[in-house]
Amino acid sequence: MVSITLSSSSLLEAHANAKALLLEHDFSHSALTPFTKLFPAIKELVTERKFTGSAGSSLVIPVSHSKGFIYLILMGIGKRDHKRKIDVEHYRRALGKLMRVMEEIKVDSIAFELPDPEFFKVTPAYLAGQTAMMVDIASYHFDDYITDPNRKVIKDRRVVLLTGDLAKKE
């Protein structure tokens, strides 16, 4: 089961084993600034790995710090169309992939900020609803008949949705 928590804290302050940034295609490297406190060379790594934020792309970076380690996850949500919006379906698929990445690296909690609804030309309420629905759908696994416990995914996962200024917009 996945539990979803809303928080107004910053990405770095959120209590989670993984922290994700959802980035549009050809994003400005200034968007990576929150992660430079944990990984100062993140901009150079992104350039070296040629991560551009294209739809479906991801980059996972393990980082050690004083209390252990966390994962920084960069997830691409694609580029804007001629109407200057990003297709909500790209966002849904990015969330699905984010949940799969969470399973692969075996973490039980992740935090990410809801993107600006203006990217998708939707309301904050619609975006939050789509986020909750996709996180729930992507978390489902029918593994009742799998007997090897190493092949089962972590059942109890926590997603922290950071609202930033969205609460003020609604």
Side-chain angles (χ1 to χ4, degrees), residues 17 102 106-110 154 156-159:
N17 301 27
M102 193 177 171
K106 297 185 182 341
V107 295
D108 63 357
S109 59
I110 190 165
I154 297 172
D156 296 324
R157 291 183 276 178
R158 187 171 51 88
V159 174

Side-chain angles (χ1 to χ4, degrees), residues 2-144:
V2 64
S3 67
I4 301 172
T5 307
L6 291 177
S7 174
S8 60
S9 67
S10 74
L11 189 57
L12 294 180
E13 295 169 349
H15 296 289
N17 301 27
K19 299 170 191 271
L21 277 178
L22 301 167
L23 300 164
E24 67 178 300
H25 185 69
D26 289 334
F27 61 94
S28 166
H29 278 211
S30 64
L32 302 172
T33 302
F35 283 172
T36 56
K37 290 180 181 169
L38 295 171
F39 190 77
I42 191 166
K43 294 175 184 176
E44 292 80 9
L45 180 67
V46 165
T47 302
E48 177 189 308
R49 298 290 169 95
K50 297 181 176 126
F51 178 81
T52 62
S54 61
S57 63
S58 64
L59 179 61
V60 179
I61 308 163
V63 176
S64 82
H65 62 86
S66 60
K67 297 178 184 172
F69 68 93
I70 62 169
Y71 291 92
L72 306 179
I73 304 169
L74 305 180
M75 187 67 57
I77 58 173
K79 67 166 91 173
R80 296 175 191 235
D81 63 13
H82 66 283
K83 295 179 183 173
R84 304 279 305 141
K85 77 172 196 168
I86 298 173
D87 189 353
V88 175
E89 185 60 27
H90 293 311
Y91 176 65
R92 289 186 194 113
R93 290 174 188 258
L95 290 176
K97 185 165 184 184
L98 190 58
M99 297 309 289
R100 293 294 170 255
V101 167
M102 193 177 171
E103 292 168 6
E104 288 173 20
I105 61 178
K106 297 185 182 341
V107 295
D108 63 357
S109 59
I110 190 165
F112 63 92
E113 189 169 328
L114 284 169
D116 187 347
E118 282 300 310
F119 285 171
F120 311 100
K121 305 291 187 218
V122 297
T123 65
Y126 179 80
L127 187 64
Q130 290 298 307
T131 302
M133 180 180 67
M134 286 313 301
V135 164
D136 190 47
I137 289 171
S139 297
Y140 176 76
H141 282 281
F142 182 74
D143 60 1
D144 292 348

